[in-house]
Amino acid sequence: MVTLNPMNQEEYEQYISYAIEDYAKDKVASGNWSEEESIDRSRQEFARLLPKGEKSEFNHLYSIFHDEQHIGMIWIAPMSPTNYEEGFIYDFMIKEPFQGQGYGKQSMQEIEVKAKELGMKKIGLHVFGHNQVARGLYEKMGYEITNINMKKIL
């Protein structure tokens, strides 16, 4: 069983340093950004979305725990500050040693409970096309594809 606890400042600082680099790598891997610009653009994106870190208004960042061990994180926010009915999962991560053990599925179930408590009736998310493991999890959890962008390198 996993639990979601609001992220504290120390957990946020660990998360943000990892997240900036990881997001930059994913944007490069997906062909959206060049490697040279990726870290700066990633920093800018996180600064825009989380101007006050873990205390940013309308954002709910949770640390995921199993048996008091920190195993990951999940971040949800409303699509609009004036409409809490539709939420969006901005980031979700289970640490590598804990992957493949069912914690991802349990965490997604728990975030649905939190979303309902916040008044959300729908949840959206984005998954990079190259992340087959995450895509498989989301499809098993009932998420449906709403858009597909495709690219061909010439």
Side-chain angles (χ1 to χ4, degrees), residues 62-82:
Y62 298 99
S63 291
I64 304 168
F65 289 89
H66 173 68
D67 291 338
E68 298 183 30
Q69 184 154 16
H70 186 250
I71 64 166
M73 65 75 53
I74 194 164
W75 164 20
I76 192 169
M79 289 293 288
S80 159
T82 59

Side-chain angles (χ1 to χ4, degrees), residues 7 12 16 45-61 75-78 84:
M7 195 178 281
Y12 177 78
I16 199 67
E45 191 71 9
F46 279 96
R48 180 181 68 77
L49 292 169
L50 296 169
K52 295 180 182 175
E54 79 283 4
K55 293 179 173 52
S56 296
E57 193 173 21
F58 307 115
N59 289 272
H60 308 276
L61 290 94
W75 164 20
I76 192 169
Y84 256 73

